[in-house]
Amino acid sequence: RNWMWDLATDPLVVQMLESTLGPGPLLYASQLHRKAPSSAAEPGGHAVPWHQDGSDKVRTLWISLDEVDEHNGGLRVLPGWHTLGRLPLKRVCSVEELEAAEYMARNNVFEVDLDAARAAAANTRQASVVSYRLPAGGAAMHHPQLPHSSPPNASARRDRRVIILRFMARGEKPVPGRAMHWRGKHLFHKEAFPVYAGAPAPPTARLLHVPAAHEEQAEEP
């Protein structure tokens, strides 16, 4: 069986998607992501800056394979900020910031300027940062325009492994490009697959993937 497809087409997941995206949602990306425990030699993965994912026609489902909290790189969000729409991007002011921005851009992450957003909207709520606290096997879904970030894994013993599933509304199209199978052996064109009870599973080689590192990738919706 294709266990990733089983997760994406679970009746509770489909019900949650249809309640926000309408009938006929599509799975367009699936990823495995790990932030290993930290050590004296290196931190536990990269800090991911505050960013947004895309239009209101997509949803991201975050499934934790380990217990996750603020100590091992759990996701952080700003509740209610999705109502502000698209936020301004943060200006790059140094060579160090440029290098970090280029690295994140290769992973379709573009840092937003929270200070500029507060200044532009006088009624912006001063929301407190909320960190995900999920048990192993827990899941959470956030609006694509909700600002979110994650710190490195500061724990010396606890792993942080997650499955990330990205869905879009029926009628939307994935950004053209190619993706790579998670074992790094197969390239294929990006596709979107309808999720519903009993939907046939796509080939595994096209289900688990990460962006091809040697290609220029447009920002995913």
Side-chain angles (χ1 to χ4, degrees), residues 83-130:
T83 60
L84 299 178
R86 181 63 56 194
L87 300 181
L89 297 179
K90 185 175 181 180
R91 183 181 298 273
V92 174
C93 299
S94 68
V95 173
E96 292 76 14
E97 290 181 355
L98 177 61
E99 292 175 349
E102 288 177 336
Y103 174 82
M104 287 297 164
R106 290 196 294 271
N107 294 278
N108 298 318
V109 173
F110 302 90
E111 185 173 5
V112 296
D113 191 333
L114 297 184
D115 292 334
R118 290 190 181 99
N123 295 324
T124 297
R125 55 180 57 82
Q126 299 296 316
S128 299
V129 174
V130 173

Side-chain angles (χ1 to χ4, degrees), residues 22-203:
L26 306 170
L27 173 69
Y28 74 92
S30 55
Q31 298 169 292
L32 299 172
H33 190 273
R34 181 191 185 204
K35 287 191 177 184
S38 62
S39 66
E42 58 184 62
H46 291 274
V48 179
W50 290 102
H51 65 284
Q52 297 170 302
D53 287 340
S55 79
D56 60 0
K57 299 295 185 181
V58 304
R59 293 293 184 273
T60 299
L61 180 64
W62 213 76
I63 304 172
S64 59
L65 301 180
D66 303 286
E67 183 180 0
V68 170
D69 56 33
E70 63 271 25
H71 302 298
N72 66 332
L75 207 65
R76 302 177 298 195
V77 300
L78 286 170
W81 277 54
H82 65 287
T83 60
L84 299 178
R86 181 63 56 194
L87 300 181
L89 297 179
K90 185 175 181 180
R91 183 181 298 273
V92 174
C93 299
S94 68
V95 173
E96 292 76 14
E97 290 181 355
L98 177 61
E99 292 175 349
E102 288 177 336
Y103 174 82
M104 287 297 164
R106 290 196 294 271
N107 294 278
N108 298 318
V109 173
F110 302 90
E111 185 173 5
V112 296
D113 191 333
L114 297 184
D115 292 334
R118 290 190 181 99
N123 295 324
T124 297
R125 55 180 57 82
Q126 299 296 316
S128 299
V129 174
V130 173
S131 296
Y132 276 19
R133 293 183 178 179
L134 298 173
M141 181 179 291
H142 62 260
H143 191 282
Q145 293 182 8
L146 181 70
H148 53 285
S149 66
S150 65
N153 183 351
S155 172
R157 294 187 296 272
R158 297 170 56 203
D159 220 321
R160 199 222 70 173
R161 297 165 295 181
V162 298
I163 297 170
I164 302 172
L165 301 177
R166 303 186 191 278
F167 302 88
M168 59 175 57
R170 182 173 62 184
E172 297 295 306
K173 302 292 184 182
V175 174
R178 290 191 297 170
M180 183 178 290
H181 185 260
W182 68 289
R183 289 179 176 172
K185 296 182 179 180
H186 308 290
L187 282 172
F188 51 89
H189 289 284
K190 293 182 179 180
E191 300 176 80
F193 306 98
V195 292
Y196 55 89

